[in-house]
Amino acid sequence: RTEARRRAEPPPAGFTRPRTRTDPHPGGPRSPAMIAPLATIALLATAFTSGARAEAVHGAFVHGVASGDPTHDSVVIWTRVTPTGRDPGETDPDPNVSFDVRWRVATTPPTSAAVDPDARPVAEGSRVPMAPGSTVFGWSDSSKVARAGIATARAERDWTVKVDVAGLSHGVRYWYAFDVVDTSGGSKTRASDFPPMTRERRSETGTFELPPPKGVAYPRDHGPLRAAVFSCANWGWGYFHAYDAAARGWGGVDEVDSVAEDSRRLHAWFHLGDYYYEYGQTHYPNADESVPERWRSLDPSSETVTLDDYRRRHRLYRSDPGLQRLHASAPVVAMWDDHEIANNPWMNGAEDHQAWEGDFKTRARAAIRAYHEWLPTREPGGSNGDSSEDDSDSDYYYNRTVHFGDVASFHVLETRLTARTDPNANPSGNVWANLTKEIAASATKAPASWPGSSLERRIRAIKTGLDAYRSEENESMAGPGQLAWLADEVTGSAASGVAWQVIAQASPVMDMMSPDLEKAADALDGDATTPPPTGHGSWRAALEAWTDWTGTALPNAESFGDGGRAVPVGAARALLAAGRYRLNWNFDDWRGYAAERRRLLKALVPNANRAVIIGGDSHDSWAGVIAADETHWGAEGSWAAGARDPAALEPGSAGAVEFDTPSVSPPGAFEQSFAWCPSELIDRGHLEANPGTLRHAQTGRRGFVMITADADEFTADFVLTPTVRSRGYSPTCGGSFVVTERADSNGGLVLTERACPQFPSRLFTGPADPRFVDWSAGAAAGLGSASTADRDERIKTMDETWIFGVFLGAFFVVGFAAGLTWRKGACGDVNARGGAGGDDRGTGRGRRRQRNYHSLDDSAARDRDAADGDDRQSEIEMGSVGGTRPSR
């Protein structure tokens, strides 16, 4: 079209066309004294009209998209439409407002182009919302759209939209997106009634690929099955770098078609519980422990109890850009643990539910309802996207199997609400606290005097009572019905020729006795590869100093441990005693349900071709084996069966292999309760206490596990994000393992540690912000680039420098503008002359605002961001919103 026609046509809504070079001052010259007032008036008028457009009630897509629960021909897709703006009468949106939402699933990615050629280009996948009408978006070739429809976002479901899309093909990569349409007239009721390319507000784009049916050959040209495993994300403890790293390195949402990339792209990811934490600002973390800006932005600030509370907490967590990108990259298979509801729940209550908080059943139903609303789950009652006021517990029965062709079947267990008996009924109470009291009250409290003492007899009696309690046959986690279902599912998968049967559930299953610090100290000294703590000649000397081994220290004497922290002698002695006398301290995971653990393994190990268990909950990294021999499945595990050194279980004698993922952000139990004790001693202590079964122990590091599988091998890489307290992070490899089947006729599984693989290079492609571009070849190899302390201090120094520079620059700009206004406005410029030439279009953009992810349901801020043109979203620098007790 001609320039004249282009200028004559009105600009699209939400955009102001730049002024042209011709006739910059029509109507004659103006004095400089008039320019500032006129420009101010023009800017105010533009802001007013733009604000009026932005205020109109509409639906905004601020929580991203997601897919989940894939089958060979279907998947659940999800989004949320946030009501925002105001009615012409200056009233907020009707609380019962609803939106018609078109969804489309296609075999090619959508296209997006600017309506106005003078507008800045729009990159598909950008997280910056565009002004309405600024771009056209969609699939111009309708033949590429495989499935489409219209759903309704209603207040009854917190305006979430969930569609179970059926009739798809496995082995095909699909893209999907949502946009708001208007069916109120009645003439348009189908997705195809609306234009394929739209200017309306639309969601981001997600992608997925469906797996083959059970037993069908997995597509070999795509490389092995790849899935990431996550557990435990707590907003206040830090940034969700693990989500960002998985999406950045293996997500593939930005790649259109590449076989090379397909071989490393996520096919699915698992979240095994504690998707969010229900706590308020009072604890875990409290204000002193938290990352301040995260703690301040917690919503609601109190503990979640009601349906509205749980929904608000979901909104907060789903504002995280890394989590949004991961959800868009691949389907999720999710299962709750305890903190989606309340700490340590069971069928009829929870450890952290008080009477004044109301009926527990009502609270649990509210929590699970919000969970199903906000995640792409295929709900047990078949109520996807429909309002349900059902007071039954049917939505709790969410155990299911997800098949990936002939490679793996993942059997997902529910272990909290359907059958669990009370985990809080331990007759000895808190093991650590009571053990500390027992030692403090004894006349032989010094460790050197424990052998043969009455204290030792008392501790052994406590152990006997604890082991008897956790071995009771009537205690359950999964229940007989679910275990019978599991045995049938595993048997059917194995009979169909599936190589790996994988149990996906919340907690560690393998032997995990308390760490033996004495054996660990002696082993570290014998290896002579890990330097002892500062100020001590050996690890043994440090341990004896911390526990006042002989009881000869002065009453007010202090000793110091990791990080210069003062060591409480009583706590150090309790930790020492728990390891020496093999006391179990955790009764909330499978260790507290020893009989149920045996029944679980009996349903899995004999019926599987190759059995693997994945878990989480402990916040730390573990890898190990479970013996095939049933005599190893008792309360004391393989230790009681005679496996008391690393060589006791010969290769091939393992019936199952286990990998437990670290947390996304909260600390582990030992670093939280025993911060003075170096992780090297804790980790080695666990290995020494569980010598026949535990092969990898790493506490104090956050991250996730990346698993791959094909017909011959099952691998697990521990991807760590060592710091979660700063926005910058450098991923490292914490360990890598491969599982194979024994080659001879005896069968059995072999777990072997291997060198860390090289991470994808794009995982280390920093943003434009130079503060975070410090990746090196070492980091790309999975080794990190600098120590955590050095990196955090460098980022802190750069942050302070940038803040000072911005403040100084703003000071001079404001001062210059004020002086210019005074000279030309207040006093007048007697030498001013009209007719100034030049280009008055202005090349600078408005002041860029920091996006506010705290105000989740206010899209006006996002519209203002779009008007400012801020499309520089850092992917490594995460978007920020801004009495201790151990908890998992």
Side-chain angles (χ1 to χ4, degrees):
R1 61 187 177 184
T2 65
E3 179 67 16
R5 282 186 59 196
R6 190 183 67 82
R7 288 201 305 269
E9 293 177 1
F15 261 69
T16 301
R17 182 175 292 122
R19 297 180 64 184
T20 61
R21 295 178 180 272
T22 60
D23 195 15
H25 299 303
R30 296 188 179 95
S31 69
M34 294 177 63
I35 293 176
L38 289 175
T40 302
I41 293 172
L43 287 172
L44 288 174
T46 302
F48 177 80
T49 56
S50 297
R53 285 193 299 271
E55 287 291 288
V57 172
H58 60 272
F61 296 89
V62 299
H63 295 102
V65 298
S67 65
D69 280 356
T71 72
H72 69 279
D73 64 353
S74 67
V75 72
V76 177
I77 59 174
W78 177 99
T79 193
R80 198 237 185 187
V81 183
T82 300
T84 189
R86 287 192 140 191
D87 286 319
E90 290 298 302
T91 59
D92 290 332
D94 186 326
N96 295 315
V97 66
S98 62
F99 301 94
D100 298 317
V101 181
R102 176 172 58 169
W103 55 269
R104 287 178 286 180
V105 176
T107 55
T108 60
T111 58
S112 182
V115 174
D116 191 333
D118 287 339
R120 62 184 176 83
V122 179
E124 174 55 34
S126 170
R127 309 197 94 71
V128 180
M130 305 308 299
S134 64
T135 63
V136 288
F137 167 85
W139 286 269
S140 57
D141 185 355
S142 59
S143 67
K144 302 299 183 183
V145 177
R147 292 289 183 273
I150 295 178
T152 304
R154 297 186 177 94
E156 291 82 359
R157 297 278 299 189
D158 203 19
W159 294 281
T160 58
V161 174
K162 201 159 57 166
V163 182
D164 192 347
V165 184
L168 303 174
S169 300
H170 62 83
V172 176
R173 190 173 181 190
Y174 291 97
W175 283 261
Y176 64 98
F178 303 81
D179 60 282
V180 175
V181 295
D182 184 5
T183 64
S184 59
S187 60
K188 296 181 178 181
T189 59
R190 299 176 303 174
S192 58
D193 293 337
F194 296 89
M197 305 297 290
T198 178
R199 299 189 188 186
E200 299 301 322
R201 287 176 174 82
R202 48 88 174 180
S203 72
E204 296 175 22
T205 304
T207 186
F208 62 83
E209 180 180 330
L210 300 182
K214 177 176 65 175
V216 174
Y218 204 80
R220 302 299 186 240
D221 59 338
H222 282 18
L225 163 66
R226 182 180 298 277
V229 183
F230 300 87
S231 174
C232 305
N234 185 301
W235 187 268
W237 279 111
Y239 298 99
F240 297 163
H241 295 327
Y243 295 146
D244 183 73
R248 168 178 293 279
W250 296 272
V253 73
D254 300 323
E255 280 71 39
V256 177
D257 184 23
S258 171
V259 174
E261 287 298 331
D262 279 344
S263 66
R264 308 197 70 168
R265 181 168 48 82
L266 277 179
H267 297 111
W269 59 285
F270 291 80
H271 203 290
L272 302 181
D274 297 347
Y275 186 85
Y276 65 84
Y277 275 66
E278 84 284 11
Y279 294 137
Q281 292 179 328
T282 57
H283 64 280
Y284 206 75
N286 60 37
D288 296 328
E289 299 168 321
S290 67
V291 174
E293 65 178 15
R294 305 276 285 187
W295 180 85
R296 287 192 298 267
S297 64
L298 187 67
D299 183 43
S301 59
S302 59
E303 185 172 335
T304 57
V305 177
T306 67
L307 177 60
D308 182 64
D309 291 340
Y310 289 114
R311 285 171 168 174
R312 288 167 62 186
R313 192 59 58 87
H314 273 288
R315 293 174 203 165
L316 175 67
Y317 276 57
R318 291 299 287 274
S319 71
D320 182 82
L323 180 55
Q324 287 191 14
R325 188 177 185 186
L326 181 59
H327 267 300
S329 296
V332 63
V333 178
M335 174 54 78
W336 57 78
D337 190 26
D338 58 338
H339 288 289
E340 289 88 349
I341 308 151
N343 189 46
N344 290 0
W346 52 294
M347 287 186 293
N348 299 314
E351 179 267 336
D352 204 27
H353 179 79
Q354 286 75 39
W356 57 266
E357 291 174 317
D359 176 60
F360 173 75
K361 290 282 189 179
T362 301
R363 179 180 185 177
R365 291 188 190 109
I368 299 307
R369 175 175 174 174
Y371 186 90
H372 282 306
E373 287 175 349
W374 276 84
L375 272 84
T377 58
R378 184 172 284 107
E379 299 178 28
S383 59
N384 289 341
D386 297 326
S387 176
S388 174
E389 301 297 336
D390 186 10
D391 288 334
S392 72
D393 298 337
S394 61
D395 282 350
Y396 298 170
Y397 294 87
Y398 191 38
N399 52 293
R400 72 260 194 221
T401 298
V402 182
H403 298 288
F404 289 83
D406 63 346
V407 171
S409 295
F410 289 84
H411 312 287
V412 185
L413 302 183
E414 197 288 322
T415 59
R416 283 292 175 185
L417 297 174
T418 56
R420 182 186 283 252
T421 52
D422 189 358
N424 312 298
N426 170 18
S428 295
N430 184 299
V431 172
W432 299 118
N434 291 329
L435 193 56
T436 301
K437 292 178 182 178
E438 289 283 349
I439 295 173
S442 172
T444 55
K445 57 177 63 72
S449 59
W450 289 353
S453 68
S454 59
L455 175 63
E456 183 175 67
R457 291 191 293 275
R458 173 61 182 154
I459 294 176
R460 292 189 186 280
I462 291 174
K463 172 183 170 53
T464 300
L466 291 175
D467 286 350
Y469 165 72
R470 65 194 184 99
S471 299
E472 292 180 1
E473 289 291 332
N474 62 343
E475 300 295 335
S476 67
M477 281 181 68
Q482 191 171 188
L483 291 180
W485 166 86
L486 175 64
D488 290 342
E489 289 290 304
V490 170
T491 301
S493 171
S496 299
V498 179
W500 305 92
Q501 285 71 48
V502 186
I503 290 184
Q505 49 76 57
S507 306
V509 176
M510 62 184 164
D511 297 350
M512 193 74 69
M513 194 52 68
S514 300
D516 191 327
L517 299 191
E518 290 178 88
K519 290 183 178 179
D522 293 341
L524 290 171
D525 287 336
D527 293 345
T529 57
T530 306
T534 303
H536 301 281
S538 66
W539 282 96
R540 182 77 188 196
L543 180 62
E544 293 186 359
W546 295 336
T547 57
D548 187 13
W549 192 266
T550 58
T552 57
L554 296 175
N556 296 322
E558 285 188 310
S559 61
F560 299 93
D562 194 36
R565 299 175 179 89
V567 179
V569 174
R573 288 172 171 172
L575 184 58
L576 177 72
R580 176 186 286 191
Y581 300 108
R582 299 185 62 78
L583 270 70
N584 178 70
W585 64 272
N586 190 341
F587 295 85
D588 186 54
D589 64 13
W590 293 95
R591 286 170 286 179
Y593 297 81
E596 185 83 335
R597 173 181 180 264
R598 185 185 68 251
R599 293 189 286 265
L600 170 75
L601 295 175
K602 195 169 184 177
L604 171 66
V605 174
N607 299 318
N609 288 333
R610 300 163 186 160
V612 177
I613 298 172
I614 56 175
D617 191 46
S618 72
H619 301 186
D620 295 315
S621 303
W622 315 102
V625 300
I626 296 171
D629 186 348
E630 193 172 341
T631 62
H632 290 244
W633 300 348
E636 281 276 12
S638 291
W639 175 273
R644 302 193 176 186
D645 61 73
L649 290 180
E650 62 182 36
S653 61
V657 173
E658 180 172 339
F659 301 103
D660 296 306
T661 183
S663 66
V664 173
S665 62
F670 289 94
E671 64 188 289
Q672 175 76 358
S673 300
F674 306 99
W676 52 268
C677 191
S679 60
E680 295 89 343
L681 192 63
I682 293 290
D683 297 348
R684 188 60 177 264
H686 277 103
L687 294 172
E688 295 295 330
N690 307 278
T693 54
L694 189 62
R695 306 296 171 82
H696 175 73
Q698 190 167 36
T699 60
R701 297 292 183 270
R702 314 282 72 85
F704 66 98
V705 173
M706 180 65 72
I707 59 176
T708 64
D710 59 23
D712 302 314
E713 295 183 346
F714 190 103
T715 70
D717 303 323
F718 289 87
V719 183
L720 305 181
T721 56
T723 178
V724 295
R725 300 187 66 82
S726 62
R727 296 182 188 179
Y729 70 97
S730 182
T732 63
C733 177
S736 182
F737 297 85
V738 58
V739 186
T740 55
E741 190 172 32
R742 187 171 177 174
D744 59 31
S745 59
N746 294 324
L749 300 178
V750 179
L751 176 64
T752 306
E753 187 168 9
R754 64 176 186 175
C756 286
Q758 184 159 334
F759 289 164
S761 59
R762 64 183 181 180
L763 182 58
F764 302 93
T765 304
D769 191 335
R771 294 177 296 168
F772 302 103
V773 184
D774 64 347
W775 316 117
S776 66
L783 305 177
S785 59
S787 71
T788 299
D790 291 344
R791 181 170 57 254
D792 289 348
E793 182 61 30
R794 183 168 63 253
I795 292 172
K796 178 176 180 292
T797 302
M798 292 181 178
D799 277 339
E800 292 170 348
T801 304
W802 277 51
I803 291 171
F804 177 75
V806 170
F807 175 80
L808 189 62
F811 176 80
F812 281 111
V813 169
V814 171
F816 176 78
L820 187 63
T821 301
W822 177 83
R823 179 173 180 268
K824 293 189 176 183
C827 297
D829 186 353
V830 296
N831 295 317
R833 301 188 183 276
D839 184 358
D840 72 340
R841 293 178 301 163
T843 57
R845 290 178 180 171
R847 177 176 63 86
R848 294 181 174 181
R849 299 175 177 86
Q850 172 66 40
R851 278 189 291 271
N852 180 6
Y853 288 96
H854 180 203
S855 188
L856 296 180
D857 283 352
D858 178 12
S859 70
R862 293 171 63 89
D863 289 337
R864 290 193 297 269
D865 288 341
D868 282 343
D870 186 0
D871 61 348
R872 184 179 59 86
Q873 168 65 26
S874 167
E875 295 165 317
I876 294 292
E877 180 178 1
M878 305 293 288
S880 63
V881 291
T884 305
R885 58 173 166 170
S887 175
R888 300 172 320 285

